[in-house]
Amino acid sequence: MVKKLDEDWFMVEKDPNLKLIYTECLRLCGSWLAETCLENPTVIMQNYLEKAVEVAGSQNGDHSDELKSGKMKAFLSLARFSDTQYQRIENYMKSSEFENKQALLMAAKQEVCLLREHKIQANRYTVKVQRELELDERAIHALREDRRRFLCKAVENYIRCLLSGDECDLWIFRLCSLWLENSGVSDVNVMIKREGEKIPSYKFLPLMYQLAARMGTKMMDGLGFHHILNNLIARISLDHPHHTLFIILALANANKDELLTKPEAARQSRLTKNVPKEISPLDMVLEFCHILCYLI
């Protein structure tokens, strides 16, 4: 079926119904190949799942429910496949086998450095050690690149899936899990900042406890995780104050009992409060909360 539609692409391109069938065929074929492990993951992603997303994205207008559903399924299939490959690589990189491989690589590096320091003349052994070291370094670098590529592809398509409709809202849990696990990855933070802001705020409500618990997590490498998280929480709080403010207020006042029981600490706290500081969106939300408390 896929071959036939490939051959008749000129006709498929003009017919939205054939495009929908072609998208579904590519998606199902890619999912079956991934399930049965009959093809290389890169081939499955490029020739089937990414192609299905590309064909689905080329359809103008979302007037039909079938078109919306087809796009959503294509995005979700690519996201889940990429997520599975990312988890496979992640589990391997946490395994004892990978640790042993890295230990052997370090030993080989030290050996090559010693050979260079002592200016040992090149022979068959030194050439072999150097070649094996280069091959191992390339393999580990390629593995890390695959991990990053599959991670970014999963995050990107989970976001696109959530933007396509409300049928797959539960996948917001997996999206946030990937983001929080990889808060130090700049590419993930950039995607969350650029595309995550388009996701309706109500979809994040079930995760408010998990998100709010990380408000105090500051990254020292300047990747912006803390800033993006605070802006997201501020947006959710402004849109849905009744579902979020009690969580933020509870965290903001978590240490009040300790301060009240220690007068000296309370005085120091008052002094630090008088120091001017930069106002963030989250600070504005908290200030708004306190004003509401006085008004009620």
Side-chain angles (χ1 to χ4, degrees):
M1 185 71 171
V2 173
K3 281 186 179 181
K4 177 65 177 172
L5 291 169
D6 270 333
E7 292 169 1
D8 299 333
W9 172 245
F10 184 74
M11 185 171 61
V12 170
E13 196 173 15
K14 293 183 177 181
D15 191 340
N17 293 323
L18 284 178
K19 269 190 177 181
L20 187 62
I21 294 170
Y22 188 38
T23 300
E24 187 67 10
C25 287
L26 288 169
R27 187 186 70 80
L28 286 174
C29 193
S31 299
W32 290 340
L33 287 172
E35 188 70 27
T36 53
C37 301
L38 292 175
E39 193 57 88
N40 183 280
T42 305
V43 173
I44 293 172
M45 189 167 76
Q46 291 178 351
N47 294 354
Y48 294 95
L49 299 178
E50 282 187 342
K51 198 171 181 181
V53 167
E54 184 182 346
V55 173
S58 67
Q59 302 183 67
N60 296 323
D62 285 331
H63 304 295
S64 168
D65 289 339
E66 289 183 356
L67 288 177
K68 282 185 180 180
S69 179
K71 282 186 178 183
M72 195 181 303
K73 286 179 181 177
F75 295 144
L76 182 59
S77 293
L78 180 53
R80 292 185 66 183
F81 174 78
S82 303
D83 194 359
T84 301
Q85 297 305 313
Y86 159 75
Q87 289 180 65
R88 179 181 61 81
I89 296 172
E90 185 74 3
N91 291 335
Y92 171 69
M93 292 179 76
K94 291 178 180 177
S95 66
S96 57
E97 181 183 350
F98 185 73
E99 288 179 5
N100 293 335
K101 189 172 184 178
Q102 283 192 309
L104 291 171
L105 182 64
M106 289 299 297
K109 276 185 180 180
Q110 291 174 0
E111 186 176 358
V112 168
C113 288
L114 285 172
L115 290 171
R116 286 175 180 171
E117 283 177 10
H118 292 86
K119 298 180 181 179
I120 303 295
Q121 188 176 359
N123 53 46
R124 290 179 64 185
Y125 175 73
T126 58
V127 170
K128 183 182 178 183
V129 171
Q130 182 70 34
R131 188 180 300 161
E132 288 179 353
L133 176 62
E134 289 175 359
L135 290 173
D136 287 342
E137 284 181 333
R138 286 177 190 171
I140 290 175
H141 177 72
L143 189 68
R144 287 183 174 137
E145 280 297 307
D146 284 343
R147 177 191 177 277
R148 186 195 62 80
R149 181 164 56 92
F150 283 124
L151 169 64
C152 292
K153 188 64 69 174
V155 170
E156 177 190 357
N157 284 279
Y158 277 135
I159 291 173
R160 295 173 79 179
C161 178
L162 289 164
L163 290 172
S164 298
D166 299 330
E167 294 177 21
C168 300
D169 283 358
L170 287 177
W171 290 102
I172 191 72
F173 288 92
R174 185 55 189 159
L175 172 64
C176 288
S177 176
L178 287 172
W179 177 35
L180 296 176
E181 285 173 10
N182 298 277
S183 57
V185 180
S186 59
D187 291 340
V188 174
N189 284 320
V190 168
M191 277 190 286
I192 294 294
K193 183 179 181 180
R194 186 181 64 244
E195 302 296 332
E197 290 180 353
K198 301 174 186 176
I199 299 174
S201 58
Y202 69 86
K203 296 192 179 188
F204 290 98
L205 286 177
L207 285 153
M208 264 306 296
Y209 283 101
Q210 289 83 349
L211 295 173
R214 290 167 173 80
M215 282 193 297
T217 307
K218 293 189 178 180
M219 304 299 293
M220 302 306 293
D221 46 11
L223 294 174
F225 168 74
H226 189 247
H227 178 69
I228 296 166
L229 178 65
N230 278 356
N231 284 343
L232 174 62
I233 292 174
R235 178 165 70 94
I236 300 168
S237 301
L238 291 170
D239 291 345
H240 309 280
H242 293 85
H243 298 83
T244 56
L245 294 185
F246 68 93
I247 300 171
I248 297 171
L249 285 171
L251 290 171
N253 298 296
N255 60 343
K256 291 295 183 183
D257 291 339
E258 184 180 351
L259 290 174
L260 290 171
T261 55
K262 295 180 180 179
E264 185 178 351
R267 286 197 298 271
Q268 290 177 358
S269 176
R270 291 192 199 101
L271 289 173
T272 55
K273 282 182 181 178
N274 292 328
V275 178
K277 62 177 181 178
E278 185 181 351
I279 299 174
S280 68
L282 193 60
D283 293 327
M284 293 173 65
V285 172
L286 288 172
E287 186 65 27
F288 178 65
C289 295
H290 287 297
I291 294 169
L292 280 179
C293 289
Y294 284 117
L295 291 175
I296 292 172

